[in-house]
Amino acid sequence: MNILVIDAKGGGMGKQLVSNIKQNFPDVTVMAVGTNASATLAMNKAGADISGTGENSVIVASKKADIIVGPVGIVIADSMLGEVTKDMAVAVGSSGAKLVLIPFNHCESVIAGVGNKTPSELIGDAMDVLKRMM
């Protein structure tokens, strides 16, 4: 099973996701793609098995993933201060993978009905969703 984690900016959320996935599901392959080198480096340090950086890496990895995990902004063109391109958002949204989107309201989009959970609580929710999927 291939789980793809996508993150932007400094990769803080991606780092936490990779670490939690590796801890909870040691037998899966974790692919990490950062929209920039800083995000990729953070996820590599957290133990990603395979990594890449940038638009083409998102497009290619999205085709290979069984599950894609990341902030909701990965399916919104020009989100994350423009780091998510239209082609990235389309690749993730049209992938055959199951998507686990974390509803951070930091992506220039607000998701109605989402409470004010901490990043740790949101990542815990994402791990619960992954456990049900597995």
Side-chain angles (χ1 to χ4, degrees):
M1 165 123 0
N2 291 319
I3 297 179
L4 170 60
V5 178
I6 301 173
D7 200 10
K9 299 184 181 179
M13 182 194 346
K15 179 180 179 179
Q16 291 179 57
L17 285 167
V18 168
S19 177
N20 276 273
I21 292 168
K22 294 299 286 182
Q23 183 177 23
N24 286 288
F25 311 104
D27 296 329
V28 304
T29 298
V30 177
M31 300 184 294
V33 176
T35 60
N36 62 64
S38 295
T40 304
L41 181 62
M43 292 187 283
N44 276 337
K45 287 182 179 179
D49 297 301
I50 304 167
S51 64
T53 301
E55 181 178 82
N56 200 53
S57 291
V58 170
I59 293 167
V60 171
S62 293
K63 294 175 188 173
K64 297 180 178 186
D66 298 304
I67 300 172
I68 300 173
V69 185
V72 70
I74 64 176
V75 294
I76 302 171
D78 295 330
S79 68
M80 299 183 180
L81 296 175
E83 288 189 40
V84 176
T85 67
K86 175 185 159 208
D87 289 341
M88 288 176 173
V90 168
V92 173
S94 64
S95 170
K98 294 178 182 178
L99 302 178
V100 178
L101 301 174
I102 300 172
F104 277 113
N105 289 331
H106 302 149
C107 300
E108 293 86 43
S109 298
V110 176
I111 302 166
V114 175
N116 291 324
K117 290 188 173 185
T118 67
S120 294
E121 290 171 324
L122 291 169
I123 289 170
D125 288 350
M127 291 305 108
D128 290 342
V129 169
L130 282 172
K131 286 176 186 171
R132 288 193 300 271
M133 286 180 161
M134 306 286 235

